[in-house]
């Protein structure tokens, strides 16, 4: 596979990646017709057929991958019946694979694909008993902002047909939102809602779209996309008029109905923050922890790992205090780094310029530590204005396979006083290179692997790699400023403390304020950063535990290999082993490293 040099693009106003939105599309009967027990002789063909069946049910997934065909203007069916049918399809294909192939008779690569297909399906099945426990509208992954973000950031317009498909999707926002509104209302009436403080964020996102009228972010994006097309001015004007009519007639009224439903729910929303409040809350949280960490660790075990790691990292921070000559307690040093203006940029342009410099320096060093490099462009974008108040601090979206959409590091610059310069370097390594962009760029480019491996993932692996990459930057000679190195530890401490507060909220019944107090006492992060993080963990239970659990396993395996190989240890070979197969559960990653050691080190 040819590898192109990384290219970095900085974009100030921009976008977000969020999972496939969707509705209005009927279930594709051909995709569901998988009862035939016959399977192709080649398991690779089986995986390709499964991929086609999945794609037939999700036009959004196609768009993410750069596939623009006859259903480019449609949304997936988001009804409860459709989701149950998708689960049934998953189980049927899993049964067909198990009944159609003998694991021991497959090649080593196909054996791994078999096991990963099985692991992916079983991981999904963990959450089946709790299908009614999620919500559709929150400040993290809510569809009130996810739908506009998808249109703006994923629906590419390269010709007039793509523009007409964009208009079709705007027309489909009404049926899509109506389906989700109805399901949200039903769950709310059964007591399944996010905490009460979530609603102001959701309402703000909705009003930001509605109050902008015909100058909203979606129509602005459409106009800018169409302006770039090589078409007659009359056709351009007709397309814009059609988009505006679709918005006025379908999307805007649907957002109005959503606003009314969120206002109805707000007064009856719960004041408790953890999912322990659900009838099967403890079992649900256990399933989420296993889903995200790919381990059998209990909530108490994860909580205690967090306490241990917090203590270790704070001791390393005290060493930096001595290095910079600070006299006082660790908490006083936290307050100093939290409040001193020198540690914050005063403009978005300055922040992004420093990211550019950091990424360029890191890119130059990558060949010394990696064999395979991603072929896709990396761009950095500020989160767009219509959702920056509710969006997370930073996140990454994988590139489109065909290169039509680059890998994107989104940074939220709504409040520069929540974006410490001390953390900038570590955050860029995590989201860009050698973190998510390198790992997921390589994964997307693994064209010889089955699609479910190229595009799927395991959170503990991907986020564990991101956190591992932050510390790897120090091994590579970066963080020359001790305050930046403190920022690296600050980021690691943040992930360790997550283990404590996530389990605190959802298992030990902490309130949001108790969790905020813990982070305020034990981390140097600013108040706004802390509050936003706790609000994220409250609506996204379990996910935040995957980072540290994954990173600790990767570090453990690296040190095991280093000890086995001694002076012959090659970190480039270790990284190639970890990355070359795409994401895997932590147990399989451990098997792979142990097999490498056994084969090469004797």
């Amino acid at each position: 596979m040819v590898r192109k040099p990384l290219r970095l693009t900085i974009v100030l106003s921009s976008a977000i990646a969020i999972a496939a939105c969707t509705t209005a599309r009927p279930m594709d009967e051909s995709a569901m017709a998988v009862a035939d027990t016959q399977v192709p002789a080649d398991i690779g063909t089986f995986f390709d057929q499964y991929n086609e069946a999945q794609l037939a049910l999700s036009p959004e997934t196609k768009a993410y991958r750069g596939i623009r065909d006859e259903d480019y203007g449609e949304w997936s069916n988001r009804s409860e019946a459709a989701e149950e049918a998708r689960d049934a399809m998953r189980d049927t294909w899993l049964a067909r694979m198990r009944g159609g192939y003998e694991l021991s008779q497959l090649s080593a690569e196909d054996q791994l694909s078999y096991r990963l297909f099985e692991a992916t399906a079983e991981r999904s099945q963990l959450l089946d008993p709790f299908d009614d426990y999620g919500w559709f509208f929150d400040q993290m992954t809510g569809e009130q902002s996810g739908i506009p973000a998808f249109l703006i950031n994923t629906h590419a317009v390269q010709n007039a047909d793509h523009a007409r498909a964009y208009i079709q999707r705007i027309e489909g926002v009404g049926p899509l939102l109506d389906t989700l509104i109805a399901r949200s209302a039903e769950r709310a009436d059964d007591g399944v809602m996010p905490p009460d403080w979530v609603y102001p964020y959701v309402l703000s996102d909705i009003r930001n779209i509605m109050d902008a009228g015909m100058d909203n972010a979606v129509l602005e994006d459409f106009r800018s996309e169409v302006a770039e097309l090589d078409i007659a001015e009359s056709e351009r004007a007709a397309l814009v008029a059609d988009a505006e009519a679709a918005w006025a007639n379908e999307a805007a009224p649907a957002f109005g109905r959503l606003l009314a439903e969120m206002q109805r729910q707000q007064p009856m929303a719960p004041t408790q923050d953890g999912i322990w409040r659900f009838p099967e809350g403890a079992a649900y949280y256990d399933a989420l922890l296993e889903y995200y960490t790919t381990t059998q660790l209990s909530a108490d075990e994860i909580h205690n790992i967090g306490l241990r790691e917090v203590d270790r990292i704070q001791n390393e921070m005290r060493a930096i205090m001595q290095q910079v000559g600070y006299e006082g307690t660790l908490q006083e040093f936290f307050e100093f780094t939290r409040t001193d203006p020198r540690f914050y940029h005063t403009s978005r342009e300055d922040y992004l310029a420093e990211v550019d410099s950091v990424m360029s320096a890191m890119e130059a060093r990558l060949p010394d530590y990696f064999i395979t490099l991603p072929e896709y462009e990396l761009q950095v974008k500020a989160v767009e204005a219509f959702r920056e108040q509710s969006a997370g601090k930073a996140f990454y979206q994988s590139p489109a396979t065909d290169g039509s959409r680059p890998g994107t590091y989104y940074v939220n610059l709504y409040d520069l006083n929540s974006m410490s310069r001390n953390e900038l370097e570590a955050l860029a390594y995590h989201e860009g290179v050698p973190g998510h962009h390198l790992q997921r760029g390589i994964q997307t480019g693994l064209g010889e692997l089955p699609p479910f491996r190229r595009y799927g993932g395991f959170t503990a692996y991907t986020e564990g790699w991101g956190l591992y990459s932050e510390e790897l930057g120090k091994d590579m000679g970066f963080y020359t400023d001790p305050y930046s190195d403190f920022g690296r530890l600050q980021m690691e401490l943040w992930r360790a403390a997550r283990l404590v507060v996530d389990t605190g909220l959802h298992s030990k019944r902490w309130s949001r304020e108790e969790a905020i107090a813990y982070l305020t006492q034990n981390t140097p992060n600013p108040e706004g950063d802390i509050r936003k993080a706790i609000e994220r963990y409250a609506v996204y239970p379990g996910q935040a535990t995957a980072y540290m659990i994954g990173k600790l396993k990767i570090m453990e395996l690296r040190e095991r290999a280093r000890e086995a190989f001694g002076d012959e240890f090659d970190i480039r070979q270790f990284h190639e082993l970890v990355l070359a197969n795409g994401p895997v559960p932590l147990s399989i990653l451990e098997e792979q490293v142990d097999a490498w050691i056994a084969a090469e080190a004797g």
Side-chain angles (χ1 to χ4, degrees):
M1 178 165 41
V2 177
R3 296 295 177 193
K4 303 174 185 175
L6 290 173
R7 292 169 292 160
L8 180 66
T9 303
I10 299 290
V11 182
L12 183 59
S13 61
S14 71
I16 179 171
I18 286 297
C21 314
T22 50
T23 272
R25 175 182 174 83
M27 294 300 291
D28 187 322
E29 295 297 330
S30 65
M32 303 306 299
V34 294
D36 183 3
T37 57
Q38 296 297 314
V39 297
D42 175 35
I43 196 171
T45 302
F46 172 85
F47 292 137
D48 287 341
Q49 291 175 350
Y50 177 73
N51 178 63
E52 291 302 315
Q54 279 197 313
L55 288 176
L57 301 179
S58 180
E60 296 87 353
T61 300
K62 288 184 180 181
Y64 277 117
R65 297 191 193 175
I67 301 170
R68 304 174 190 90
D69 56 15
E70 67 280 355
D71 59 5
Y72 191 42
E74 298 182 19
W75 299 100
S76 308
N77 189 326
R78 289 293 296 275
S79 69
E80 183 176 1
E83 292 187 0
E84 290 175 351
R86 280 189 281 271
D87 289 345
M89 187 186 84
R90 171 205 64 203
D91 295 343
T92 301
W93 282 84
L94 176 62
R96 291 182 68 207
M97 184 189 73
R98 285 171 167 167
Y101 303 98
E102 180 61 43
L103 182 62
S104 62
Q105 300 302 309
L106 300 174
S107 68
E109 190 63 62
D110 286 343
Q111 285 185 25
L112 179 58
S113 292
Y114 180 109
R115 294 181 64 197
L116 291 176
F117 188 89
E118 189 172 54
T120 300
E122 290 175 344
R123 179 172 177 253
S124 176
Q125 289 169 341
L126 286 171
L127 303 183
D128 284 354
F130 313 104
D131 281 344
D132 294 333
Y133 277 177
W135 34 73
F136 303 100
F137 305 103
D138 61 49
Q139 84 283 9
M140 282 299 301
T141 59
E143 303 288 20
Q144 79 284 348
S145 56
I147 291 170
F150 175 87
L151 289 168
I152 294 167
N153 303 313
T154 304
H155 187 109
V157 176
Q158 299 174 334
N159 55 49
D161 285 341
H162 295 166
R164 283 185 277 272
Y166 197 129
I167 296 168
Q168 183 184 350
R169 278 200 162 120
I170 293 175
E171 292 172 339
V173 167
L176 167 59
L177 274 179
D178 284 342
T179 297
L180 298 175
I181 290 168
R183 296 185 69 187
S184 176
E186 182 180 5
R187 292 186 183 187
D189 290 340
D190 290 335
V192 178
M193 290 175 282
D196 56 356
W197 48 263
V198 171
Y199 285 84
Y201 289 118
V202 175
L203 291 167
S204 174
D205 286 346
I206 298 170
R207 290 188 178 109
N208 284 342
I209 287 288
M210 294 184 65
D211 292 350
M214 302 306 282
D215 293 324
N216 66 75
V218 172
L219 289 179
E220 284 187 353
D221 175 68
F222 182 84
R223 294 182 190 111
S224 66
E225 295 267 23
V226 171
E228 299 297 320
L229 298 180
D230 184 16
I231 57 177
E233 189 58 40
S234 58
E235 184 177 10
R236 192 184 337 274
L239 289 170
V240 170
D242 288 346
E244 291 174 348
W247 185 270
N249 295 331
E250 296 291 341
F255 273 101
R257 294 189 290 273
L258 176 59
L259 181 71
E261 174 57 27
M262 294 298 101
Q263 289 172 327
R264 183 189 77 88
Q265 291 183 22
Q266 186 174 19
M268 60 185 188
T271 57
Q272 301 97 337
D273 299 298
I275 58 172
W276 55 264
R277 68 184 185 273
F278 294 155
E280 299 295 330
Y284 180 36
Y285 189 54
D286 287 344
L288 287 167
L289 291 178
E290 183 173 350
Y291 178 88
Y292 285 119
T293 70
T294 69
T295 73
Q296 299 289 323
L297 292 169
S298 70
D300 284 345
E301 288 172 321
I302 290 173
H303 190 86
N304 291 331
I305 291 171
L307 293 173
R308 181 195 73 200
E309 292 300 304
V310 165
D311 185 62
R312 172 185 64 81
I313 297 163
Q314 287 181 347
N315 284 333
E316 293 185 30
M317 286 177 154
R318 291 186 178 95
I320 290 183
M321 286 172 56
Q322 293 180 348
Q323 182 182 354
V324 299
Y326 185 87
E327 296 182 1
T329 67
L330 182 60
Q331 280 67 35
E332 289 169 341
F333 191 60
F334 285 172
E335 184 64 14
F336 164 61
T337 60
R338 188 183 286 140
T339 58
D340 194 294
R342 80 181 76 175
F343 300 123
Y344 297 93
H345 279 293
T346 57
S347 77
R348 298 182 177 206
E349 290 81 3
D350 288 347
Y351 187 100
L352 292 173
E354 186 171 350
V355 172
D356 189 13
S357 175
V358 164
M359 286 289 87
S360 296
M362 172 56 78
E363 178 187 338
R365 293 297 312 281
L366 291 178
D368 295 335
Y369 286 80
F370 296 92
I371 295 172
T372 301
L373 297 175
E375 62 181 289
Y376 300 99
E377 178 185 356
L378 170 65
Q379 66 176 350
V380 182
K381 287 187 174 183
V383 176
E384 69 279 281
F386 80 87
R387 69 182 313 277
E388 64 182 359
Q389 187 173 355
S390 63
K393 181 173 184 171
F395 38 87
Y396 176 81
Q397 177 180 309
S398 297
T401 308
D402 64 357
S404 60
R405 183 186 69 250
T408 305
Y409 164 25
Y410 294 98
V411 57
N412 193 339
L413 301 177
Y414 172 74
D415 180 8
L416 288 171
N417 290 325
S418 292
M419 299 296 289
S420 172
R421 293 184 65 182
N422 295 340
E423 290 184 339
L424 182 149
E425 200 173 351
L427 192 61
Y429 298 153
H430 181 109
E431 303 293 348
V433 289
H436 287 326
H437 181 67
L438 185 142
Q439 183 267 306
R440 287 160 68 175
I442 290 174
Q443 178 188 356
T444 301
L446 294 173
E448 69 279 7
L449 295 184
F452 82 90
R453 289 178 61 182
R454 294 179 66 194
Y455 303 109
F458 297 89
T459 314
Y461 173 98
T462 54
E463 295 298 352
W465 176 264
L467 182 51
Y468 168 80
S469 297
E470 296 174 24
E471 184 166 339
L472 179 63
K474 185 172 179 64
D475 298 334
M476 297 171 72
F478 295 102
Y479 304 107
T480 54
D481 181 344
Y483 284 109
S484 187
D485 196 25
F486 178 81
R488 173 188 66 82
L489 290 172
Q490 178 175 331
M491 294 276 286
E492 187 179 22
L493 178 63
W494 194 241
R495 277 47 163 271
R498 279 178 176 176
L499 304 185
V500 179
V501 296
D502 196 288
T503 53
L505 284 167
H506 299 294
S507 178
K508 299 183 180 299
R509 304 192 175 196
W510 289 11
S511 69
R512 178 176 58 143
E513 297 306 321
E514 286 178 290
I516 288 171
Y518 179 86
L519 290 187
T520 301
Q521 177 66 22
N522 287 282
T523 76
N525 293 66
E527 188 274 338
D529 206 4
I530 288 170
R531 186 165 295 274
K532 184 178 285 286
I534 294 301
E535 291 172 350
R536 165 190 168 179
Y537 310 150
V539 302
Y540 208 175
Q543 190 267 355
T545 66
Y547 297 64
M548 181 58 79
I549 297 300
K551 187 251 187 178
L552 290 173
K553 177 57 69 173
I554 295 172
M555 291 294 292
E556 172 194 332
L557 297 176
R558 189 181 76 177
E559 294 316 301
R560 185 184 303 174
R562 190 187 301 276
E563 183 176 331
F565 287 106
D567 293 340
E568 299 300 314
F569 175 74
D570 184 346
I571 197 166
R572 296 172 76 248
Q573 292 290 348
F574 175 78
H575 289 155
E576 187 73 4
L577 176 68
V578 171
L579 296 170
N581 290 307
V584 297
L586 297 182
S587 59
I588 290 182
L589 181 63
E590 185 164 16
E591 288 179 20
Q592 292 173 332
V593 173
D594 285 344
W596 176 50
I597 292 172
E600 301 294 332

